[in-house]
Amino acid sequence: MNLSSLPPFVNETYRDFLIPEHKAAMLAALAQVRAELGREYDLQIAGHPEKGGPDKLLSYNPSLTTELIGMHQKATAEQAARAVEQAHAYFPTWNAVPAELRAARLFRAAAILKRRKSEFNAWMVLESGKNWLEAEADTAEAIDFCDYYARQMLRYATPEPLVQMPGEHGQLTYLGLGVGVIIPPWNFPLAILVGMTVAALVTGNTVVIKPSSETPTIAAKFMEVLHEAGFPPESFQFLPGSGAEVGDLIVSHPKTRFISFTGSKEVGLRIVELAAKTQPGQRWIKRVVAEMGGKDAIVVDSQAADLDAAASGVIAAAFGFQGQKCSACSRLIVDATIYDEFVAKLKPLAEALTQGPAEDPSNYMGPVIGAKAEKTVLNYIEIGKSEGRLITGGAKAQGPGHFIQPTIIADVESTDRIFQEEIFGPVLAVTKARDFDHAMQLANDSAYGLTGAMYSANPEKIARARAEFFVGNLYINRKCTGAMVGAHPFGGFNMSGTDSKAGGPDYLLQFLQAKSIAEKIIG
Ligand code: NAD
């Protein structure tokens, strides 16, 4: 297999659930998944299932908080260390497998995910509270990561030719690094887990996967896909457990070569610090790929072409998946000349959003992920009420889950906490900009720098936003969520992380080391 013999990469399409056939497939998958709820899952080291400590990790449906989704192990310290040791022992074998064969397994994983698309959607609806369309987009992105990274690996398998010195044969080859610790978040429970895992595996590394404690069942289901796709059981270890306990241990282990993390700024910075401390017996500088939080702004300029389109974009970016996307719009910056008119447009749009259990496809908004998130978000809403003017929402919503109303707080100052701190829930802070200069200044007044968007029809302002808006992913005249693999390589500046550009042509390099070989031609 080589890259030129493959059809070009195309993104997986989303199904329309208004079409009876697709709706029926989702309903059947939900019924199938429901029949499996509450099962106990084992952790896996070298393919062998094991129980963890006596304490179990329980995952509940955030839309119906009494419903147990899955019961998982909490790995012990001994198991965590053994998982890293085992992955280390198998690394030379896996790294020696030709890139073409590793990529072939990834194409197979994509095909399996395609076949099980509705089922994975259903697990996400029930375990993470995603609505049907958000779940469909998540599964599609997971498929895209497999299809895209497999192609990228084939590209690195035939590197660009080097300058050849007279009398020498020069070559550059790419090798895996070693054991990678994979620590994903819960908010793209399939796509990010899959992307981080397969990028490390296809480049020849072995991995220890510590799934998010909020969505471990989806992760356990993905382990089935890796097995079926033919990844050797020794190449990946499944190690659920407490982030603080198991996480610290595997990050600090001297045989860990790199850590691929996506999550909050606080945990990411701690990992960077732990990884920087050399352990006895450690032979390398650990690499950390850390994608962290966001406090993403949309700027609506006085010369925006269509204020209704801008308002719809803001609402979708702020409240899609309850604002629990790293790319979600949580700061809205509106030019003073259209401020009142624009804020007035947002209120009815937010109030028209349907909310309730994610399983019901008529609900646009579901719950926030858990009790802790609910408390944090409600606390920020109270802070916001004291900092600005409540436009709509501002309270918990009715229902058997962690439902919070879409909340808009206007007249916020840039120094206010709800303008600066990541809330990770359905809360939008709105600020008035005196003019375009001020709007750019406000947009960049953040410790983060992940996504941003600007609505304007003025080419000079667009050019200025391109140059000045300091974010890893800038969108013009469209919303700031919804990055597509291959089209919008994803990753942020500043405290949003190491700007790894997931889903982009450079991403795999972070999991590879290049070896340059020069051979003197004899005779
Ligand atoms: P989190 O930081 O709480 O947890 C992320 C992962 O780290 C989880 O698997 C968790 O169990 C683990 N963890 C917790 N403590 C640990 C420790 N001491 N050592 C090792 N691992 C530990 O984040 P979350 O709540 O799962 O996800 C939400 C956050 O992720 C938000 O800040 C969001 O912006 C961010 N995020 C960023 C991106 C991006 O691409 N930049 C994408 C998605 C989410």
Side-chain angles (χ1 to χ4, degrees), residues 94-170:
W94 178 239
N95 195 34
V97 170
E100 290 75 11
L101 296 184
R102 297 196 305 257
R105 289 177 170 91
L106 207 40
F107 284 123
R108 229 177 287 151
I112 298 165
L113 284 169
K114 279 184 204 192
R115 193 184 75 222
R116 294 177 64 177
K117 208 168 168 182
S118 297
E119 183 204 336
F120 272 104
N121 286 356
W123 281 112
M124 277 190 272
V125 166
L126 294 178
E127 194 169 47
S128 75
K130 287 208 165 187
N131 73 20
W132 288 25
L133 273 176
E134 294 281 356
E136 174 84 356
D138 199 315
T139 310
E141 190 176 5
I143 294 166
D144 285 351
F145 278 136
C146 294
D147 272 338
Y148 184 82
Y149 291 149
R151 282 175 170 76
Q152 293 303 319
M153 188 62 235
L154 294 175
R155 184 165 68 89
Y156 287 116
T158 46
E160 295 284 310
L162 299 175
V163 170
Q164 297 295 315
M165 298 306 287
E168 260 183 30
H169 176 243

Coordinates of all heavy atoms in Angstrom, one line a residue, residues 94-170:
W94 N 6.7 -3.6 18.0 CA 5.7 -2.8 17.3 C 6.3 -1.8 16.4 O 5.9 -1.5 15.3 CB 4.7 -2.2 18.3 CG 3.6 -1.4 17.7 CD1 3.4 -0.1 17.9 CD2 2.7 -1.8 16.7 NE1 2.4 0.4 17.2 CE2 1.9 -0.6 16.4 CE3 2.4 -3.0 16.1 CZ2 0.8 -0.7 15.6 CZ3 1.3 -3.0 15.2 CH2 0.5 -1.9 14.9
N95 N 7.4 -1.2 16.9 CA 8.1 -0.1 16.1 C 8.7 -0.7 14.9 O 8.9 0.0 13.9 CB 9.1 0.6 17.0 CG 9.6 1.9 16.5 OD1 8.8 2.6 15.8 ND2 10.9 2.2 16.7
A96 N 9.0 -2.0 14.9 CA 9.6 -2.6 13.7 C 8.6 -3.1 12.7 O 9.0 -3.4 11.6 CB 10.5 -3.8 14.2
V97 N 7.4 -3.0 13.0 CA 6.3 -3.4 12.0 C 6.3 -2.3 11.0 O 6.3 -1.1 11.3 CB 4.9 -3.5 12.7 CG1 3.8 -3.6 11.7 CG2 4.9 -4.6 13.7
P98 N 6.4 -2.7 9.7 CA 6.4 -1.6 8.6 C 5.2 -0.7 8.7 O 4.1 -1.1 9.1 CB 6.4 -2.4 7.3 CG 6.9 -3.8 7.7 CD 6.4 -4.0 9.1
A99 N 5.5 0.6 8.5 CA 4.4 1.7 8.6 C 3.2 1.3 7.8 O 2.1 1.6 8.2 CB 5.0 3.0 8.1
E100 N 3.4 0.6 6.6 CA 2.2 0.3 5.8 C 1.3 -0.7 6.5 O 0.1 -0.5 6.4 CB 2.7 -0.4 4.5 CG 3.5 0.5 3.5 CD 4.9 0.9 3.9 OE1 5.4 0.2 4.9 OE2 5.5 1.8 3.4
L101 N 1.9 -1.6 7.3 CA 1.0 -2.5 8.0 C 0.3 -1.9 9.2 O -0.8 -2.2 9.5 CB 1.9 -3.7 8.5 CG 2.5 -4.6 7.3 CD1 3.2 -5.8 7.9 CD2 1.4 -5.0 6.4
R102 N 1.0 -0.9 9.8 CA 0.4 -0.2 10.9 C -0.8 0.6 10.3 O -1.9 0.7 10.9 CB 1.4 0.7 11.6 CG 2.5 -0.1 12.3 CD 3.2 0.7 13.3 NE 3.8 1.9 12.8 CZ 5.0 2.2 12.5 NH1 5.9 1.2 12.6 NH2 5.4 3.3 12.0
A103 N -0.5 1.3 9.2 CA -1.6 2.1 8.6 C -2.8 1.3 8.2 O -3.9 1.7 8.3 CB -1.0 2.9 7.4
A104 N -2.5 0.1 7.7 CA -3.6 -0.8 7.2 C -4.5 -1.1 8.4 O -5.7 -1.2 8.2 CB -3.0 -2.1 6.6
R105 N -3.9 -1.3 9.6 CA -4.8 -1.6 10.7 C -5.7 -0.4 11.1 O -6.8 -0.5 11.5 CB -3.9 -2.0 11.9 CG -3.3 -3.3 11.8 CD -2.4 -3.7 13.0 NE -2.0 -5.0 13.0 CZ -0.9 -5.5 12.4 NH1 -0.1 -4.7 11.7 NH2 -0.6 -6.7 12.5
L106 N -5.1 0.8 10.8 CA -5.9 2.0 11.1 C -7.1 2.2 10.1 O -8.1 2.6 10.5 CB -4.9 3.2 11.0 CG -5.3 4.4 11.8 CD1 -5.8 4.0 13.2 CD2 -4.0 5.3 12.0
F107 N -6.8 1.8 8.8 CA -7.9 1.9 7.9 C -9.0 0.9 8.3 O -10.2 1.1 8.2 CB -7.4 1.5 6.5 CG -6.7 2.7 5.8 CD1 -5.4 2.5 5.4 CD2 -7.3 3.9 5.7 CE1 -4.7 3.6 4.8 CE2 -6.6 5.0 5.1 CZ -5.3 4.8 4.6
R108 N -8.6 -0.2 8.8 CA -9.5 -1.2 9.3 C -10.3 -0.7 10.5 O -11.5 -0.9 10.6 CB -8.8 -2.5 9.7 CG -9.4 -3.8 9.1 CD -8.6 -5.0 9.4 NE -7.4 -5.1 8.7 CZ -6.3 -5.8 9.2 NH1 -6.3 -6.3 10.4 NH2 -5.2 -5.8 8.5
A109 N -9.6 0.0 11.4 CA -10.3 0.6 12.6 C -11.4 1.6 12.1 O -12.5 1.6 12.6 CB -9.3 1.3 13.5
A110 N -11.0 2.4 11.0 CA -12.0 3.3 10.5 C -13.2 2.6 10.0 O -14.4 3.0 10.2 CB -11.4 4.2 9.4
A111 N -13.0 1.5 9.3 CA -14.1 0.7 8.7 C -15.0 0.1 9.8 O -16.2 0.1 9.7 CB -13.6 -0.4 7.8
I112 N -14.4 -0.3 10.9 CA -15.2 -0.9 12.0 C -16.0 0.2 12.7 O -17.2 0.0 13.0 CB -14.2 -1.6 13.0 CG1 -13.5 -2.7 12.4 CG2 -15.0 -2.0 14.3 CD1 -12.3 -3.2 13.2
L113 N -15.4 1.4 12.8 CA -16.2 2.5 13.4 C -17.3 2.9 12.5 O -18.4 3.2 13.0 CB -15.2 3.7 13.7 CG -14.3 3.6 14.9 CD1 -13.2 4.7 14.8 CD2 -15.0 3.7 16.2
K114 N -17.1 2.8 11.2 CA -18.2 3.2 10.3 C -19.4 2.2 10.5 O -20.5 2.6 10.5 CB -17.7 3.1 8.8 CG -17.0 4.3 8.4 CD -16.6 4.3 6.9 CE -15.5 5.2 6.7 NZ -15.1 5.5 5.4
R115 N -19.0 0.9 10.6 CA -20.0 -0.1 10.8 C -20.8 0.1 12.1 O -22.0 -0.2 12.2 CB -19.3 -1.5 10.8 CG -20.2 -2.7 10.6 CD -19.5 -4.0 10.7 NE -19.1 -4.3 12.1 CZ -17.9 -4.8 12.4 NH1 -16.9 -5.0 11.5 NH2 -17.6 -5.0 13.7
R116 N -20.0 0.5 13.2 CA -20.6 0.6 14.5 C -21.0 2.1 14.8 O -21.1 2.4 16.0 CB -19.7 0.1 15.5 CG -19.4 -1.4 15.4 CD -18.4 -2.0 16.4 NE -18.8 -1.9 17.8 CZ -18.1 -2.3 18.8 NH1 -17.0 -2.9 18.6 NH2 -18.5 -2.2 20.0
K117 N -21.2 2.9 13.8 CA -21.4 4.3 14.0 C -22.6 4.6 14.9 O -22.5 5.3 15.9 CB -21.7 4.9 12.6 CG -21.3 6.3 12.5 CD -21.4 6.7 11.0 CE -21.3 8.1 10.7 NZ -21.5 8.5 9.3
S118 N -23.8 4.0 14.7 CA -25.0 4.3 15.5 C -24.7 3.8 16.9 O -25.2 4.5 17.8 CB -26.2 3.6 14.9 OG -26.4 4.0 13.6
E119 N -24.1 2.7 17.0 CA -23.8 2.2 18.4 C -22.9 3.1 19.2 O -23.3 3.4 20.4 CB -23.2 0.8 18.3 CG -22.9 0.1 19.6 CD -21.8 -0.9 19.6 OE1 -21.5 -1.4 18.6 OE2 -21.2 -1.1 20.7
F120 N -21.9 3.6 18.6 CA -21.0 4.6 19.3 C -21.8 5.8 19.6 O -21.6 6.4 20.7 CB -19.7 4.8 18.5 CG -18.6 3.8 18.9 CD1 -18.3 2.8 18.0 CD2 -18.0 3.9 20.1 CE1 -17.3 1.8 18.4 CE2 -17.0 3.0 20.5 CZ -16.7 1.9 19.6
N121 N -22.6 6.3 18.6 CA -23.4 7.5 18.9 C -24.3 7.2 20.1 O -24.4 8.1 21.0 CB -24.4 7.7 17.7 CG -23.7 8.3 16.5 OD1 -22.5 8.6 16.5 ND2 -24.5 8.4 15.4
A122 N -24.8 6.1 20.2 CA -25.8 5.8 21.3 C -25.0 5.8 22.7 O -25.5 6.3 23.7 CB -26.5 4.4 21.1
W123 N -23.8 5.2 22.7 CA -23.0 5.3 23.9 C -22.8 6.7 24.3 O -22.8 7.1 25.5 CB -21.7 4.5 23.8 CG -21.9 3.0 23.9 CD1 -21.7 2.1 22.9 CD2 -22.2 2.2 25.0 NE1 -21.9 0.8 23.3 CE2 -22.3 0.9 24.7 CE3 -22.5 2.6 26.4 CZ2 -22.6 -0.1 25.6 CZ3 -22.9 1.6 27.3 CH2 -22.9 0.2 26.9
M124 N -22.5 7.5 23.3 CA -22.2 8.9 23.7 C -23.4 9.7 24.2 O -23.3 10.5 25.1 CB -21.6 9.7 22.5 CG -20.1 9.4 22.4 SD -19.3 10.4 21.2 CE -19.5 9.4 19.8
V125 N -24.6 9.4 23.5 CA -25.8 10.0 24.0 C -26.0 9.7 25.5 O -26.3 10.6 26.3 CB -27.0 9.5 23.1 CG1 -28.3 9.9 23.7 CG2 -26.9 10.1 21.7
L126 N -25.8 8.4 25.8 CA -26.2 8.0 27.2 C -25.0 8.3 28.2 O -25.3 8.6 29.3 CB -26.5 6.5 27.2 CG -27.8 6.2 26.4 CD1 -28.0 4.6 26.4 CD2 -29.0 6.9 27.0
E127 N -23.8 8.2 27.8 CA -22.7 8.4 28.8 C -22.3 9.8 28.9 O -21.8 10.3 29.9 CB -21.5 7.5 28.5 CG -20.6 7.4 29.7 CD -19.5 6.3 29.6 OE1 -18.9 6.2 28.6 OE2 -19.3 5.6 30.6
S128 N -22.4 10.6 27.8 CA -21.8 12.0 27.8 C -22.9 13.0 27.7 O -22.6 14.2 27.8 CB -20.8 12.2 26.8 OG -21.3 12.3 25.5
G129 N -24.1 12.7 27.3 CA -25.2 13.7 27.2 C -25.1 14.5 25.9 O -25.7 15.6 25.8
K130 N -24.5 13.9 24.9 CA -24.5 14.5 23.6 C -25.8 14.3 22.9 O -26.4 13.2 22.9 CB -23.4 14.0 22.6 CG -22.1 14.3 23.1 CD -21.0 14.4 21.9 CE -19.9 15.2 22.5 NZ -18.8 15.5 21.6
N131 N -26.3 15.3 22.1 CA -27.5 15.1 21.3 C -27.1 14.2 20.1 O -25.9 14.0 19.9 CB -28.3 16.4 21.0 CG -27.6 17.2 19.9 OD1 -26.7 16.7 19.2 ND2 -27.9 18.5 19.9
W132 N -28.1 13.7 19.4 CA -27.8 12.8 18.3 C -26.8 13.4 17.3 O -25.9 12.7 16.9 CB -29.1 12.4 17.6 CG -30.1 11.6 18.4 CD1 -30.1 11.4 19.7 CD2 -31.0 10.7 17.8 NE1 -31.1 10.6 20.0 CE2 -31.7 10.1 18.9 CE3 -31.5 10.4 16.5 CZ2 -32.8 9.2 18.7 CZ3 -32.5 9.5 16.3 CH2 -33.2 8.9 17.4
L133 N -27.1 14.6 16.9 CA -26.2 15.2 15.9 C -24.8 15.4 16.4 O -23.8 15.2 15.6 CB -26.8 16.5 15.4 CG -27.8 16.4 14.3 CD1 -28.4 17.7 13.9 CD2 -27.2 15.7 13.0
E134 N -24.6 15.9 17.6 CA -23.3 16.1 18.2 C -22.6 14.7 18.3 O -21.4 14.6 18.0 CB -23.4 16.7 19.6 CG -24.0 18.1 19.6 CD -23.0 19.2 19.2 OE1 -21.8 18.9 19.0 OE2 -23.4 20.3 19.1
A135 N -23.3 13.7 18.6 CA -22.7 12.3 18.7 C -22.3 11.8 17.4 O -21.2 11.3 17.2 CB -23.7 11.4 19.4
E136 N -23.2 12.1 16.4 CA -22.8 11.7 15.0 C -21.5 12.4 14.5 O -20.7 11.8 13.9 CB -24.0 12.1 14.1 CG -23.8 11.9 12.6 CD -24.0 10.5 12.1 OE1 -24.3 9.6 12.9 OE2 -23.9 10.2 10.9
A137 N -21.4 13.7 14.9 CA -20.2 14.5 14.5 C -19.0 13.9 15.2 O -17.9 13.9 14.6 CB -20.4 15.9 14.8
D138 N -19.1 13.5 16.4 CA -18.0 13.0 17.2 C -17.5 11.6 16.6 O -16.3 11.4 16.4 CB -18.5 12.8 18.7 CG -17.4 12.6 19.7 OD1 -16.4 11.9 19.4 OD2 -17.5 13.3 20.7
T139 N -18.5 10.8 16.3 CA -18.1 9.5 15.7 C -17.5 9.7 14.3 O -16.5 9.1 14.0 CB -19.3 8.5 15.6 OG1 -19.9 8.5 16.8 CG2 -18.9 7.1 15.2
A140 N -18.0 10.6 13.5 CA -17.5 10.9 12.2 C -16.1 11.4 12.3 O -15.2 11.1 11.5 CB -18.4 11.9 11.5
E141 N -15.8 12.3 13.3 CA -14.5 12.8 13.5 C -13.5 11.7 13.9 O -12.3 11.7 13.4 CB -14.5 13.9 14.6 CG -13.2 14.6 14.6 CD -13.2 15.8 15.6 OE1 -14.1 16.0 16.4 OE2 -12.1 16.5 15.7
A142 N -14.0 10.7 14.7 CA -13.1 9.6 15.1 C -12.7 8.8 13.8 O -11.5 8.4 13.6 CB -13.8 8.7 16.1
I143 N -13.7 8.6 12.9 CA -13.4 7.9 11.7 C -12.4 8.7 10.8 O -11.4 8.1 10.3 CB -14.7 7.7 10.9 CG1 -15.6 6.7 11.7 CG2 -14.5 7.2 9.5 CD1 -17.1 6.7 11.2
D144 N -12.6 10.0 10.8 CA -11.7 10.9 10.0 C -10.3 10.8 10.5 O -9.3 10.7 9.7 CB -12.2 12.3 10.1 CG -13.4 12.6 9.2 OD1 -13.8 11.7 8.4 OD2 -14.0 13.7 9.3
F145 N -10.1 10.8 11.9 CA -8.8 10.7 12.4 C -8.1 9.5 12.0 O -6.9 9.5 11.6 CB -8.8 10.8 14.0 CG -8.9 12.2 14.5 CD1 -9.8 12.4 15.6 CD2 -8.1 13.2 14.1 CE1 -9.9 13.7 16.1 CE2 -8.2 14.5 14.6 CZ -9.1 14.7 15.7
C146 N -8.8 8.3 12.0 CA -8.2 7.1 11.5 C -7.8 7.1 10.1 O -6.6 6.8 9.7 CB -9.1 5.9 11.8 SG -9.5 5.6 13.5
D147 N -8.7 7.6 9.2 CA -8.5 7.6 7.8 C -7.3 8.6 7.4 O -6.5 8.4 6.5 CB -9.7 8.0 7.0 CG -10.6 6.9 6.7 OD1 -10.1 5.7 6.6 OD2 -11.8 7.1 6.5
Y148 N -7.3 9.7 8.2 CA -6.4 10.8 7.9 C -5.0 10.4 8.4 O -4.0 10.6 7.6 CB -6.9 12.1 8.5 CG -6.0 13.3 8.2 CD1 -6.2 14.0 7.0 CD2 -5.1 13.8 9.1 CE1 -5.4 15.1 6.7 CE2 -4.3 14.9 8.7 CZ -4.5 15.5 7.6 OH -3.7 16.6 7.2
Y149 N -4.9 10.0 9.6 CA -3.5 9.7 10.2 C -2.9 8.5 9.5 O -1.7 8.4 9.4 CB -3.6 9.5 11.7 CG -3.9 10.7 12.5 CD1 -4.6 10.7 13.7 CD2 -3.5 12.0 12.0 CE1 -4.9 11.8 14.4 CE2 -3.8 13.1 12.8 CZ -4.5 13.0 14.0 OH -4.8 14.2 14.7
A150 N -3.7 7.5 9.0 CA -3.2 6.4 8.3 C -2.5 6.9 7.0 O -1.4 6.5 6.7 CB -4.3 5.4 7.9
R151 N -3.1 7.9 6.3 CA -2.5 8.4 5.1 C -1.3 9.2 5.5 O -0.3 9.2 4.8 CB -3.5 9.4 4.4 CG -4.6 8.6 3.6 CD -5.6 9.6 3.1 NE -6.5 9.0 2.1 CZ -7.5 8.2 2.4 NH1 -7.7 7.9 3.7 NH2 -8.3 7.6 1.5
Q152 N -1.3 10.0 6.6 CA -0.2 10.8 6.9 C 1.0 9.9 7.3 O 2.2 10.2 7.0 CB -0.5 11.7 8.1 CG -1.5 12.8 7.8 CD -1.1 13.7 6.7 OE1 0.1 14.1 6.6 NE2 -2.0 14.0 5.8
M153 N 0.7 8.8 7.9 CA 1.9 7.8 8.2 C 2.5 7.3 7.0 O 3.7 7.2 6.9 CB 1.3 6.7 9.1 CG 2.5 5.8 9.6 SD 3.6 6.7 10.7 CE 5.2 6.4 9.9
L154 N 1.7 7.1 6.0 CA 2.2 6.6 4.7 C 3.1 7.7 4.1 O 4.1 7.4 3.4 CB 1.1 6.2 3.7 CG 0.3 5.0 4.2 CD1 -0.9 4.7 3.2 CD2 1.2 3.7 4.3
R155 N 2.7 8.9 4.3 CA 3.5 10.0 3.8 C 4.9 10.1 4.4 O 5.9 10.2 3.8 CB 2.8 11.3 4.0 CG 3.4 12.6 3.4 CD 2.5 13.7 3.4 NE 2.1 14.2 4.7 CZ 2.8 15.2 5.4 NH1 3.9 15.7 4.9 NH2 2.3 15.6 6.6
Y156 N 4.9 9.9 5.8 CA 6.2 9.9 6.5 C 7.0 8.7 6.2 O 8.2 8.7 6.4 CB 6.0 10.1 8.0 CG 5.5 11.5 8.4 CD1 4.3 11.7 8.9 CD2 6.4 12.6 8.1 CE1 3.9 13.0 9.2 CE2 6.0 13.8 8.4 CZ 4.7 14.1 9.0 OH 4.4 15.3 9.3
A157 N 6.4 7.6 5.8 CA 7.1 6.4 5.4 C 8.0 6.6 4.2 O 8.9 5.8 4.0 CB 6.1 5.2 5.2
T158 N 7.6 7.6 3.4 CA 8.5 7.9 2.2 C 8.9 9.4 2.3 O 8.2 10.2 1.6 CB 7.7 7.6 0.9 OG1 6.4 8.2 1.0 CG2 7.6 6.2 0.6
P159 N 9.8 9.7 3.2 CA 10.1 11.1 3.4 C 10.7 11.8 2.1 O 11.2 11.1 1.2 CB 11.2 11.1 4.5 CG 11.5 9.7 4.8 CD 10.7 8.8 3.9
E160 N 10.7 13.1 2.1 CA 11.3 13.9 1.0 C 12.7 13.5 0.9 O 13.4 13.3 1.9 CB 11.3 15.4 1.4 CG 9.9 16.0 1.6 CD 9.2 16.2 0.3 OE1 9.9 16.9 -0.6 OE2 8.1 15.8 0.1
P161 N 13.2 13.4 -0.4 CA 14.6 13.0 -0.6 C 15.6 14.1 0.0 O 15.2 15.3 0.0 CB 14.8 12.9 -2.1 CG 13.5 13.4 -2.7 CD 12.5 13.5 -1.6
L162 N 16.7 13.7 0.5 CA 17.7 14.7 1.1 C 18.6 15.2 0.0 O 18.8 14.5 -1.1 CB 18.5 14.0 2.2 CG 17.7 13.5 3.4 CD1 18.7 12.7 4.3 CD2 17.0 14.6 4.1
V163 N 19.3 16.2 0.3 CA 20.5 16.6 -0.6 C 21.5 15.5 -0.4 O 21.8 15.1 0.7 CB 21.1 18.0 -0.1 CG1 22.4 18.3 -0.8 CG2 20.0 19.1 -0.2
Q164 N 22.0 15.0 -1.5 CA 23.0 13.9 -1.5 C 24.4 14.4 -1.6 O 24.8 15.1 -2.6 CB 22.7 12.9 -2.6 CG 21.4 12.2 -2.5 CD 21.2 11.3 -1.3 OE1 22.1 10.5 -0.9 NE2 20.1 11.5 -0.6
M165 N 25.2 14.2 -0.6 CA 26.7 14.6 -0.6 C 27.4 13.7 -1.6 O 27.1 12.5 -1.7 CB 27.3 14.5 0.8 CG 26.6 15.4 1.8 SD 26.6 17.1 1.3 CE 28.3 17.6 1.5
P166 N 28.4 14.2 -2.3 CA 29.2 13.4 -3.2 C 29.8 12.2 -2.5 O 30.3 12.4 -1.3 CB 30.3 14.3 -3.8 CG 29.8 15.7 -3.5 CD 28.9 15.6 -2.3
G167 N 29.7 11.0 -3.0 CA 30.3 9.8 -2.4 C 29.5 9.3 -1.2 O 30.0 8.4 -0.5
E168 N 28.3 9.8 -1.0 CA 27.6 9.3 0.2 C 26.1 9.0 -0.2 O 25.6 9.6 -1.2 CB 27.5 10.4 1.3 CG 28.4 10.3 2.4 CD 28.2 11.4 3.4 OE1 27.1 11.9 3.6 OE2 29.2 11.8 4.1
H169 N 25.5 8.1 0.5 CA 24.1 7.9 0.4 C 23.4 8.4 1.7 O 23.7 7.8 2.7 CB 23.8 6.4 0.1 CG 22.3 6.2 0.0 ND1 21.6 5.4 0.9 CD2 21.3 6.7 -0.8 CE1 20.3 5.4 0.6 NE2 20.1 6.2 -0.5
G170 N 22.6 9.4 1.5 CA 21.9 10.0 2.7 C 20.5 9.6 2.8 O 19.8 9.6 1.7

